[in-house]
Amino acid sequence: MTTRDLGSLGSTPRSFNSFNVNAVEPTDVFKFSIGSTQNINLSLNNISAADDADLRLFRDVNGNGILDATDRVSGAVSSSTKASNQDEAINVRANAGTYFAEVSRFAPGSSGTVFYDLDLSATAPTSTSNYSNLLPKEFVLGNLSTDVTRFGYISNTNTADVYSFSLGTFEGVNISLTGLSADADIRLIRDSNNNRIVDAGEEVARSARAGTTSELISNITQSGDYFLQVNQFSGSTAYTATFDRFATPFA
């Protein structure tokens, strides 16, 4: 097991591209600390085809700086273990302390070496300027050839959901977030450099109304690939995300 000490994790994402785990070293561990209550954002993406890797987060509960059996039992924070090479994501609100992000090879679903990219950041909670800045493809909608409705839940243990979709020529979409019992917001992103991070200038639109008021992003008509983030502002709430697809006039 290889452990990399990242020191203090902040809002600027840390990225580790083309890393790998294999039969000899099936696990990589990334150790980091946060100095106050933060949203920890982890994105495991670009997993090699026909392979499988999982993502887990632990806290260093005994303070020895080593991911040990005590941390795995008493310090387990969250995990993401989707099948095949689907992106894995963890977004949790966490107290100050030292943490371990673990990438592990899922042996029954992988043969040989599993390549992956890992992005990590820690952003301030309850701040619209510090939403998660990572773009895992948690929920893949594909091309919006018809209306799509999805249901989700945002809380301290899942502070962000990310939907990926595309619009073709002469297609448009209105996006709404309804059914809220606490404050959640949405923003739309075009990842122009395909680095799976929200860089300056890539946010297309956002809706950040106060309280439980429904959110709306309307009249998106430019063709291309998009990410929609549903972000917790405060509290826990179920939500309904509706992608209302419409045809645009011919040029």
Side-chain angles (χ1 to χ4, degrees), residues 105-134:
R105 173 180 177 266
F106 183 65
S110 303
S111 59
T113 300
V114 179
F115 290 92
Y116 68 87
D117 295 346
L118 177 68
D119 303 311
L120 312 89
S121 71
T123 51
T126 64
S127 171
T128 56
S129 62
N130 283 287
Y131 293 144
S132 171
N133 46 18
L134 308 184

Side-chain angles (χ1 to χ4, degrees), residues 1 3 29 58-76 100 102:
M1 180 175 66
T3 299
V29 175
F58 303 93
R59 183 168 181 171
D60 184 11
V61 292
N62 53 20
N64 66 358
I66 300 171
L67 177 56
D68 54 26
T70 300
D71 301 325
R72 291 185 181 280
V73 175
S74 302
F100 304 98
E102 179 187 67

Side-chain angles (χ1 to χ4, degrees), residues 9-11 34-40 92-96 122-125:
L9 188 64
S11 59
I34 55 175
S36 61
T37 299
Q38 298 277 291
N39 287 345
I40 295 175
V92 298
R93 187 163 300 181
N95 295 326
T123 51

Side-chain angles (χ1 to χ4, degrees), residues 157-190:
T157 59
N158 179 43
T159 59
D161 282 340
V162 181
Y163 296 83
S164 64
F165 69 93
S166 61
L167 291 176
T169 306
F170 312 125
E171 292 179 338
V173 66
N174 299 315
I175 304 170
S176 62
L177 191 74
T178 59
L180 302 177
S181 58
D183 197 346
D185 304 313
I186 54 176
R187 68 172 179 168
L188 189 65
I189 296 141
R190 292 194 73 172

Side-chain angles (χ1 to χ4, degrees), residues 30 48 100 134 144 200 235:
F30 300 81
S48 47
F100 304 98
L134 308 184
L144 292 185

